[in-house]
Amino acid sequence: MTDPRHDDKTTGPEGPDAPLHRRGIKSYVLRAGRMTQAQTRGLEEVWPRLGLSLADGRQDLAALFGREAPRVVEIGFGMGASLVEQAETHPDTDFIGIEVHAPGVGKLLDEADKRGLTNLRVYREDALRVLEECLPEASLDTVQLFFPDPWPKKKHHKRRIVQPAFVELVRTRLKVGGTFHLATDWEAYAEWMAEVMDAAPGYANTAGPETTPYVPRPAFRPLTKFEARGEKLGHGVWDLIYRRLG
């Protein structure tokens, strides 16, 4: 059987003027799944304290966390293990996670509560709408996008979240000097990401004038169980970090 990782002929990203929200097209698919007792507890008992919604409107992040601190947003945190670890390891930084899948949100909330974390908030919403409607311009130090769905089939490339309009939206939410950190275990998607980011105005690749746009996995990005298992099987992972220039 052909490995889909090597059958990824791209048609190229959409233009920078393409709309962020196309009717009926999302970068994710909501999947039904059973909720564990812990995940249900997170959504029912912890959500009122750590959960956020579009209805809350534009956030005053200093008021939200009760302090001025570096701010990190992670888009699509999955089951939340990496984000919880970051929040626990860096108590002087405030984190906001965005995820649409209920089991992952519930799991993260349950873990955050058990660890007594106060520097973490969560949206169960479409990330594009959160960025547009809830997070102020030039308010973030880092935006993280780790292992988004690669949508490997050519006909699905329009679903990839990394498009010119999306990275421009991220840029406006970053402070000048802030960073956009992307990671994927699909080489063809890594190449797509680099193409989009290198063409985007107002960004500089932190890899510098090297022959590759990628950087070694930074120590501050936790190694997930999935990634560790992939490394043992010889799968690659590509990290890209771009800084906002202006």
Side-chain angles (χ1 to χ4, degrees):
M1 181 180 294
T2 302
D3 185 341
R5 293 168 186 262
H6 303 292
D7 186 24
D8 190 26
K9 302 302 182 183
T10 65
T11 55
E14 294 188 338
D17 297 326
L20 281 167
H21 301 292
R22 290 187 177 279
R23 186 183 301 270
I25 296 179
K26 297 286 187 182
S27 63
Y28 57 87
V29 173
L30 285 173
R31 297 180 293 273
R34 293 183 178 179
M35 298 283 291
T36 67
Q37 185 176 357
Q39 291 165 357
T40 300
R41 173 187 173 274
L43 288 175
E44 293 181 352
E45 298 181 20
V46 187
W47 175 267
R49 182 160 46 87
L50 300 183
L52 300 170
S53 70
L54 295 176
D56 297 325
R58 186 79 67 188
Q59 294 289 344
D60 179 335
L61 298 181
L64 178 65
F65 288 99
R67 65 178 182 176
E68 288 289 349
R71 299 162 186 154
V72 176
V73 166
E74 181 164 334
I75 297 171
F77 56 74
M79 298 306 289
S82 171
L83 185 54
V84 165
E85 182 177 339
Q86 291 179 76
E88 186 172 45
T89 303
H90 303 283
D92 294 331
T93 298
D94 292 328
F95 293 84
I96 295 175
I98 308 172
E99 176 59 65
V100 294
H101 299 289
V105 173
K107 175 67 172 175
L108 178 137
L109 289 170
D110 180 65
E111 282 294 323
D113 183 61
K114 289 177 178 176
R115 302 185 192 200
L117 302 180
T118 60
N119 61 330
L120 178 60
R121 300 292 186 274
V122 183
Y123 280 97
R124 185 185 167 193
E125 305 279 5
D126 184 308
L128 297 179
R129 294 196 63 189
V130 173
L131 290 173
E132 287 183 314
E133 301 173 27
C134 303
L135 300 180
E137 294 187 8
S139 64
L140 308 176
D141 294 89
T142 302
V143 173
Q144 299 176 165
L145 181 68
F146 297 157
F147 307 103
D149 194 325
W151 293 104
K153 293 183 179 180
K154 181 178 178 180
K155 65 181 179 180
H156 291 152
H157 287 176
K158 61 182 175 291
R159 291 184 176 272
R160 289 176 167 176
I161 191 171
V162 179
Q163 302 282 352
F166 168 71
V167 302
E168 170 59 17
L169 176 60
V170 170
R171 188 190 69 83
T172 66
R173 268 50 188 172
L174 287 169
K175 299 176 181 177
V176 174
T179 55
F180 185 21
H181 183 182
L182 310 91
T184 180
D185 61 336
W186 286 71
E187 185 173 11
Y189 198 14
E191 294 169 352
W192 171 291
M193 290 173 169
E195 177 186 347
V196 174
M197 293 302 302
D198 287 341
Y203 281 105
N205 192 333
T206 63
E210 304 295 337
T211 57
T212 174
Y214 313 115
V215 298
R217 182 182 70 85
F220 57 78
R221 180 172 72 75
L223 183 68
T224 65
K225 291 181 180 179
F226 169 81
E227 186 178 352
R229 184 167 62 249
E231 283 188 350
K232 291 180 180 179
L233 295 173
H235 297 169
V237 172
W238 292 265
D239 283 81
L240 304 96
I241 302 179
Y242 288 79
R243 178 174 291 109
R244 177 181 173 175
L245 298 177

